[in-house]
Amino acid sequence: MESHSSLSSSSSSSPPSSLSSESCCVKVAVNVRPLIGDEVTQGCRECVSVSPVTPQVQMGTHPFTFDHVYGSNGSPSSLMFEECVAPLVDGLFHGYNATVLAYGQTGSGKTYTMGTGIKDGTKNGLIPQVMSALFNKIDSVKHQMGFQLHVSFIEILKEEVLDLLDSSVPFNRLANGTPGKVVLSKSPVQIRESPNGVITLSGATEVPIATKEEMASCLEQGSLTRATGSTNMNNESSRSHAIFTITLEQMRKISSISVVKDTVDEDMGEEYCCAKLHLVDLAGSERAKRTGSGGVRLKEGIHINRGLLALGNVISALGDEKRRKEGAHVPYRDSKLTRLLQDSLGGNSKTVMIACISPADINAEETLNTLKYANRARNIQNKPVANKDLICSEMQKMRQELQYLQATLCARGATSSEEVQVMREKIMKLESANEELSRELHIYRSKRVTLDYCNIDAQEDGVIFSKDDGLKRGFESMDSDYEMSEATSDIGAAEEWEHALRQNSMGKELNELSKRLEEKESEMRVCGIGTETIRQHFEKKMMELEKEKRTVQDERDMLLAEVEELAASSDRQAQVARDNHAHKLKALETQILNLKKKQENQVEVLKQKQKSEDAAKRLKTEIQCIKAQKVQLQQKMKQEAEQFRQWKASQEKELLQLKKEGRKTEHERLKLEALNRRQKMVLQRKTEEAAMATKRLKELLEARKSSPHDISVIANGQPPSRQTNEKSLRKWLDNELEVMAKVHQVRFQYEKQIQVCVFKNLFQSCLLSANFFLINKPL
């Protein structure tokens, strides 16, 4: 029974979530053997009746219902394998452990039913049929998977586990022909428990099996080596519990159809599975008076009954639903038999128990005990799990998920490609728009720097423009408003997202507290109702018991008084009356003792009631604590909501302020446009004046050129008079002064016109940038 690999052990202790784990009851079948020759010779009659319609056994006034009943009027014993054991053999190939357990008194046919006894070379029973079915199944599916078989055969003799397949322990036959073992100084097999809770055997021989004949040879070897003896009830009585274990290891290739290529995918890996079938032939329960055993046989019988008693205690603990729900202790460690059957009873195994009984009335008491024993075993709940490799199972699950995703991707192939193309085009458009805006912003900022330099140069030349500072402030305010609006929108979105996350987390916590509060309150109501009902019921019971106790004590006192009165008389009737009264007195004393025990039980129940009240108080305290946490969380959520509301109001106020600044900027822009129009008109007028001044300057220059010619003509003629010279000199000086004034005036107008043109160009560029920001500014 030693584990061959760690995977089967791990799955038995902590099954993975991917493997199914369903509770199932232990199935119980009853096999009623026919009367044997000794019983017929003694004139025994059948005391067991079997219903031919339902699987029910009647033992006097005790009816018992089981899953199957064989023999007598029930189903024929030949159907036992097909109905009880064949499903377990099929389960081996799916990774489920299984156990077949034969129980009954000595001489009831357990060894014959299981097939562990070899007699005259014949092989009857369930184990040979299991071997045939197992190899037939392997032959039918061996092309799909690989198999490895191992068998082990052990016995529990006098609370020692011995290996029946150990070749180093020879056997011989005793004088009466009974096979007996030569006892050597060999240490018995040790029971070990692995870290994951699986019971293994250290030192047990596990023989690899390839054919049915090899397995039958191992069974025959162990059966001949098993300890047997003769008693008054059975000539070949098994003196030990025997467990024949078949371990089946499978390696199955996993193949699947690829959804993408519609072909068979052979790269899905391998699935490893390991399962065990325990075939248990228990030694029969026996009474020393009937078996007539003594010495060694008596000691063997004591150990057999002790192991069966421990097995009965385990079955009682597992079959009691109340104790199972309370998590009561199951005494698996009381014997080595129950320790080895720990998984078979209440663990990872599908179990069938076969109760073998004798129908003879001489064995009526032992038969009734066996039926009660088997009836309790029907209530045991096992949790069988498919023992598969955890890593292989996880890989198979991931491969299946991958195939599903591939199928989904193929189904959405065309739509997904179109969506991806549209998204890529949108991303490219957004990136190009972002680059263009960044480039324009860089140009506008460089123009603003140029405007600053122009203002500095104008101040150095002594020319000051009254609207330049206002234009610069307007440009800076527009730039800052744009950047502020972007930052404000980003911060607002982030704040709203964080607030939504906080509100969501606190809402989840509040829902969790509400659920806990409802659970505690419902538990509190149940505890309150249950405690009050129990209190009223058991107070009433206590009063009734006290009343009954007083009545019985009064009756006992009356009987004692009558006995004392009758003790004085010596006639025969008085003696008979005294005897009757003595019997009644003993019965009353017994009844008083029973009432005292009931009263003690009621006291224990009252203690349980006190514990329930304490639990109710504790629940009340927890409810108050949860309510306080709930109130604090609600207050916190209100404060958080109020803070968010105030923040949102401030953001809206800031947005209104930004809109107001935008309106001011728009008004400033309109004023700048009006100024631009006025400056254009002034520039046009100044241009016309400059043209007129230039024309007059040309006329004056021509007049200046003609003046020296006139003077030279006068000088070549007769000499002029003094008065004429003064007039001509004054005229010449006036012309020179007028020419110089006109030249200076034209030069001033020219310089002023150049400055106006420069300012006009800068103003137009600033006006264009302002219009762009006003158009693209987010609200």
Side-chain angles (χ1 to χ4, degrees), residues 447-466:
K447 287 183 179 180
R448 189 178 68 175
V449 174
T450 306
L451 180 61
D452 293 338
Y453 287 138
C454 291
N455 290 333
I456 294 170
D457 294 338
Q459 289 178 2
E460 289 178 354
D461 293 338
V463 181
I464 301 173
F465 301 101
S466 60

Side-chain angles (χ1 to χ4, degrees), residues 435-485:
E435 291 177 358
E436 186 177 355
L437 290 174
S438 300
R439 189 166 51 252
E440 290 180 357
L441 182 61
H442 179 69
I443 293 171
Y444 295 146
R445 285 179 177 173
S446 64
K447 287 183 179 180
R448 189 178 68 175
V449 174
T450 306
L451 180 61
D452 293 338
Y453 287 138
C454 291
N455 290 333
I456 294 170
D457 294 338
Q459 289 178 2
E460 289 178 354
D461 293 338
V463 181
I464 301 173
F465 301 101
S466 60
K467 296 298 180 178
D468 182 53
D469 294 335
L471 180 62
K472 180 180 177 182
R473 285 195 301 270
F475 186 83
E476 290 176 351
S477 65
M478 285 186 291
D479 196 2
S480 62
D481 289 343
Y482 177 74
E483 294 176 354
M484 186 183 298
S485 64

Side-chain angles (χ1 to χ4, degrees), residues 22 117 161 174 190 217 274 295 403 463 489 580 592 637 714 758:
E22 298 180 357
V161 181
L174 303 179
Q190 301 295 322
S217 175
C274 179
Q403 288 184 351
V463 181
S489 62
N580 293 333
I592 289 172
M637 290 180 68
I714 293 172
V758 171

Side-chain angles (χ1 to χ4, degrees), residues 495-512 633 636-637 640-641:
E495 287 290 337
E496 289 183 359
W497 177 252
E498 289 180 0
H499 174 71
L501 287 178
R502 288 196 298 270
Q503 290 291 326
N504 190 16
S505 63
M506 286 190 288
K508 289 181 180 179
E509 189 175 354
L510 183 61
N511 292 333
E512 187 67 23
L633 187 58
K636 186 177 179 181
M637 290 180 68
E640 189 74 22

Side-chain angles (χ1 to χ4, degrees), residues 92-238:
L92 283 179
F93 291 87
H94 295 89
Y96 290 98
N97 295 334
T99 301
V100 180
L101 190 71
Y103 173 79
Q105 74 170 117
T106 182
S108 59
K110 299 180 299 300
T111 302
Y112 179 84
T113 301
M114 293 300 296
T116 55
I118 303 297
K119 185 176 181 181
D120 299 333
T122 59
K123 299 178 182 179
N124 299 317
L126 295 176
I127 297 180
Q129 296 182 66
V130 167
M131 290 190 292
S132 300
L134 184 64
F135 281 94
N136 290 336
K137 181 73 172 179
I138 290 175
D139 291 338
S140 62
V141 297
K142 63 183 179 181
H143 62 281
Q144 299 176 0
M145 61 187 76
F147 295 95
Q148 284 187 1
L149 281 173
H150 296 82
V151 296
S152 64
F153 202 0
I154 63 166
E155 67 174 352
I156 303 174
L157 178 65
K158 296 181 183 179
E159 280 302 301
E160 287 187 357
V161 181
L162 303 176
D163 188 3
L164 295 178
L165 299 181
D166 189 358
S167 58
S168 63
V169 181
F171 69 95
N172 64 349
R173 292 188 177 272
L174 303 179
N176 58 359
T178 303
K181 189 184 303 182
V182 177
V183 181
L184 302 178
S185 59
K186 178 179 179 296
S187 60
V189 178
Q190 301 295 322
I191 300 176
R192 295 285 183 264
E193 183 174 359
S194 61
N196 50 14
V198 177
I199 304 301
T200 59
L201 290 174
S202 175
T205 303
E206 289 192 337
V207 181
I209 299 297
T211 62
K212 175 183 173 183
E213 288 73 18
E214 292 179 1
M215 187 178 291
S217 175
C218 292
L219 176 63
E220 183 176 0
Q221 177 186 344
S223 299
L224 294 175
T225 313
R226 184 182 178 187
T228 57
S230 177
T231 65
N232 293 340
M233 294 186 68
N234 191 354
N235 292 330
E236 295 181 0
S237 175
S238 300

